[in-house]
Each structure stands twice: as structure tokens, then as C-alpha cells.
Amino acid sequence: MKDSKWTWRSVSLISIAATIILIVGFVSAVGDILNPQGEALSTALPQETAVPTAAAGDSMRILALGDSLAKGTGDNDGSGFVKRTLDGLSADGGSAELLGNMGINGLTTAGLQTKLKEEGVRYALRQANIILVSIGGNDLFRGSEILGNATEGQGAATPGPSPSAAAENQDAASSVHATGTIDGKNSALVTSTPKPGEDELTPESLLAALPDAAKRLGEILQTISEINPQAQIFYVGLYNPFGDIKDLLVPGNQAVTAWNNAAMDIINTHSNMTLVPTFDLFNRHLDKYLSGDHFHPNGDGYQRISERIIQAVR
Amino acid sequence: MTNLLPLIRNECTKIIKKKRFYVILLILLVLVPMFTYAQMRIAERSRDKFNSDWRLEVQQQITDNQNSLGSDRIPEEWKSYRRIFVQQLQFYLDHDVNPNEPSGVTFTREFLDNSVSLFIPLLIMAVASDLVSGERTTGTIKMLLTRPVKRWKVLFSKLVALLMFVSLIVLSVFVISYLISGLAFGYKGFSIPVFTGFQLSGDTVDMTTVHSVPQWKYLLMQGGLIWFVSVVVAVLAFMVSVLVRSTAASIVVMMAALIAGTILTNMAAAWTTAKYLFMVNLGLTGYLAGTPAPIEGMTLSFSMAVLGVWGIAAIIISFAVFTKRDILN
């Protein structure tokens, strides 16, 4: 009987105490959610504290940045050129590690510029000593579409990378693929899903976006090298994915060459940058090295790109 | 009034003697180590991949989510969830706060966030579902009701005893998960800041009201919300146990309702009237964490009102039925 008295007392005391605490928590939670008091949060960004690691040792810390090529879209095992480069570099005993792959499908030069303002991306860039950049394909092969997006992004000036824009780009990409593969002759005239404000892929549109996009590329590379002056930047040049469409072969080649030349001009003025050409890897071998979407490389294609990058890194 | 206290004490002793509460503790002691171990493996893996640099990890998480936004095959609701998630991660990153700082306290917080809508209600049911129906199954209800005590007093004492054990269960979930996960992740982490106050409107997150709260206070608020949910679930299970003759049936009814709730929250976005069901509204802690509600138009006050109405209705029905009905068999 004494035992049961003792348990009753402890149970009742603990449960009453617990109930009071929980009610206090409940009241404060309701108050907090219904009337949230915004406070001036100190944006304590991880400033320059992180920089010194860049000088340590000769291990390679790789960071990939850019569009779907950096991400590895089209590669069946998802490796892309980034993982393949990493494997190649660490195959013969070299120490290479991947800090992260910031590749986003459908990213354009304008989108990458916004991303480079994010502290998380800047932080990751500061940690790396090898930075692989792939950008520009989405600007060039979707010329008019992207001009609209770029101005939109600048007008809104949101800190976020506007994922919706990326999603739109993806839509646009698929419709471009559709037009590109339906029929060589009609591709310039017929769009499977016509959208307001979207122009078709024509020889003119390929070249139209070039000057602005090239300027943004220069700014991007400049920004990266300012964020991390110690790192080696490898820019992956463009190839012409529409070489198998008769109408687009010549203008495509011209546009891609013009772009690669523009990139070369920028890169030549910086000692810590290298252009990795890919145009010749794919030219006249599109069926072998492009994936099913006729736009992205397949596994073998990525393998060839990564071999080039490895040669450039060493 | 004088004879209520002994009645409550009697009911508490019955709950203790039935060892239901020990079963609950045992369940926690078995399950929490499993979750802790799983969480530990995840932490280890990401440490290997990202060299324990959480900023790179979070940035990669943001990038991965942004990539999945591009896919046309992902349903729009998931996309808006991910957009919100990305913006919150970005906020943590911009303010240099690790959202997943491994510690026993963080584990407790996340574990409770995940268990509020199913796991904890199940534990509550273990006690609540046989309070009345158990007496009828064993036949002791006749002994109870032939005493010179008013029926509503009998039922009221049972309800009070139940609410006492609800608090004990919520408390012991917190304590056990903290103590066990602390073995793996360390017992520190009460002062880590957690952001709360994300105002969701559609796809975008309004950051103006976001403020940081030390983790201990967050746990306290979370505990309060979980307690409210548990009380409502307890009262509902109590009502079912009054209405149904056998304990097994009473457990099955409540369990079916709860599981239906978790299924509905995953697919109810199209059927908006489902938001008036209590089981869809159990995830109150989501409002604290800033995760989007399962159905458009649900807010904390809405969910609390729905739960409150269900709870009060359950109490009224329980008392009305219990005081009126004939006890046969």
C-alpha cells in the first residue's frame, strides 16, 4: 500500500509538472506562429575565413558549375564529365575530390550570374582549386527565348536563383528538341508547342543571342576568378548538337565557332583559365556521342570531354 | 468534489497496473536506437562525401532540388514544396547556420517532427483505447457502476487520468529520444539557433517575419503543439472506447482513422474539403518549421479550430452516451 502511494504521488506530480510545461510551450508556440516577430538578423556571412584552405597541399578539389552538361544530363549512369574527370584524375594515385556539382539543367549565363551572387556558391568556389565551368549552350541554342528570361530576371532582382525560370528553360529545351528532330526542313517554321514570345530556332536566332551572352560569359569568368584567384578555371567549349540537321549545320557551326572564339578571347587574357575544346569531338560523330535527346552527350561523349579536361588539368 | 480525487487515483493505478505505460516506454527504447543508428549512418556518409563541410552539403542539396524542379514529370505540389525548401535552405546558408547540425537535441527535434502525425498518436492510443471498452470486455464495468458514485464522475476521473498519461507519454518521448540519441550525437545543442516564422504564400516564402529561436525553446514550443495534438487524439480514442464494446475494435477504428490521415495528407491536395477531417490536421509542428500544409488554405488557427471542435464533440458524445446507456451483457 505504501508503494502504491509513492507511485501515485510521483506520477501525479510529474504529470502535472509536464502538463504545465507543455501548456506553456503550447501557448508560446501559438503566439510565435500567429504573431511572428521578425528580427533584424545579422547576415553573418562566412566571410574570408574560409580562403586559406585553397593553398594547402597538391590535392585537387574540384567544383563543377554550370548547365546540364556539368550536371551530366544524358549520361545513363549519371556520371557526366565531372565524375568521369574525377575518376580519371584519381585513377593513377592522384588525390582528387569533388566538392560539389552545382550544375543545373537549363541554366543560362544570366542564371549563372545570379547564382554567383549566392553566398553558398561563393563559399564552395573558395574551397576549390579546380573549377569546371560549362555554360552558354542554353543561351545560344535558345537565343530569343533567353533574352526574355534575362531581362525578366534582372527586373525582378530576386536573391533566389528563380527556379521557375529554370523550369521554363527546361520546357523550352524540350520544345526545341522537338522542333529540331521532327523534320529538317520544317523545323525552322513549325513549333510543336508554340508559346507566346518564343521564337523558333533559326540561323538568325542562333547568332542573335551571341554578343550579349558572350559578354555575360566574360563577366562570369571574371567573377569566378575574383572569388577564388588561386583556382584554375576550365571552361568547357561548345559543340554543335544540330550538325545532323541540314538547315542548321552551317549556321550552327558558325554560331558555335563564334562563341568558342569569343570565349577564347576572354580566356586568353587570364593566366588561370583554360578553354577545353569539344567542337571537334562531336563534329560528324553526333550519332555516336549524343544521347537520345539529340542535344546532350551520352556516356561516351562525356568520357571524351573528360579525357580532354584531364589532359588540360595535368 | 471530495470523492473525485480518490477516483482519479484509482484510475491511474489501474493504468499503471495494466503495464500499458511500460509497453510504451519499451517501444520507445527499442525504436529510438534504430532511428538514431540510421541517422548516424546518414551523417557518416555525408561526412565522407563533403569532408564535414556542411555549407557544401547544403549548397549541393539546394542544387539538387533546383534540378528536380526542372523535370516535367514531378507533380506541381512537390515542386512548390521543393521551392519552399530551397528558399529555406538558402536562408540558413545566407545566415551561416547549419540546419542539420548533428546533436542529440537536433535529432529529437527532427524525430518529433516526423512522429507527430502517426507515431505519437499510436502510443497515445495504447493507453486511451481500452479505458472504457477494457472494463466492458472484462466485465468490471458493472462493479464500477454499482458503486454509489455518479456515472459522469467515473468517466471524468478516467478522462483526467488519461490526460495525465498523455503528458507523461509526450514527456517520455522527448526524454528518451534525447537521452538515446545523445549517446551517438552528444548532449549539447540546446542553444543552436533554429529559424521559424516562415510565411508561406503559394510558392514563395516571406522572410520578413523569420526569426531565430534557440533550440531548447523550439523544443518547448514543439512539445506544446504535440501535446495539443495528443490530447485531441486521446479524447477521440476515449470516445471510441466508450462507443465500442471491445478494445480490439476500438484500436482498429482509431488506427484506421490515423492511417487514412497519413494517406490523405499525401494525396488530398485536390480534395480540399478533406481539411475538415481531424487526421489531416495533426501535423501542427509543420507550421512551426515552415513546411507547407497538406491542403491549400490550412493555417495553424484553422487546424487548431478543427482539432478543437473534434475534441469537444468527442467529449460531449462520450459523456452523453456513457451516462445514458444501459449496461447489458
Side-chain angles (χ1 to χ4, degrees), chain B residues 258-270:
Chain B
L258 288 176
I259 291 171
T262 56
I263 297 172
L264 275 177
T265 43
N266 286 330
M267 54 188 229

Side-chain angles (χ1 to χ4, degrees), chain A residues 170-243:
Chain A
Q170 185 72 7
D171 286 347
S174 47
S175 68
V176 166
H177 302 160
T179 52
T181 50
I182 294 169
D183 181 5
K185 258 186 263 172
N186 292 340
S187 66
L189 304 168
V190 180
T191 328
S192 57
T193 51
K195 283 184 185 176
E198 185 190 2
D199 285 29
E200 292 81 16
L201 201 61
T202 61
E204 291 76 30
S205 76
L206 279 177
L207 287 163
L210 200 132
D212 286 345
K215 191 164 148 271
R216 284 195 291 270
L217 175 68
E219 287 163 10
I220 286 168
L221 292 173
Q222 184 64 36
T223 315
I224 295 175
S225 72
E226 274 164 15
I227 294 171
N228 188 344
Q230 277 104 349
Q232 278 292 322
I233 302 167
F234 295 91
Y235 175 74
V236 178
L238 294 188
Y239 57 89
N240 180 10
F242 299 119

Side-chain angles (χ1 to χ4, degrees), chain A residues 15 19 22 32 36-37 39 41 44-45 71 97 100-105 115 118 120 123 161 163 170-171, chain B residues 51 53 55-56 59-60 63 66-67 69-70 72 90-91 93-94 96 164 167 199 211-212 220-221 224 228:
Chain A
S15 67
T19 311
L22 291 171
D32 196 278
Q37 303 293 322
E39 67 180 277
L41 290 160
L45 303 170
K71 185 175 174 261
E97 55 169 318
N101 187 342
M102 310 286 162
I104 292 186
N105 282 330
K115 259 196 116 34
E118 286 172 28
Y123 177 85
Q170 185 72 7
D171 286 347
Chain B
N51 277 327
D53 193 335
R55 292 188 194 90
L56 294 177
Q59 183 59 47
Q60 190 66 60
T63 312
Q66 284 173 341
N67 263 317
L69 287 173
D72 289 335
Q90 192 70 55
F91 190 84
L93 198 55
D94 287 347
D96 203 23
M164 285 169 64
S167 298
Q199 305 277 9
H211 52 284
S212 74
L220 182 71
M221 299 197 287
F228 183 78

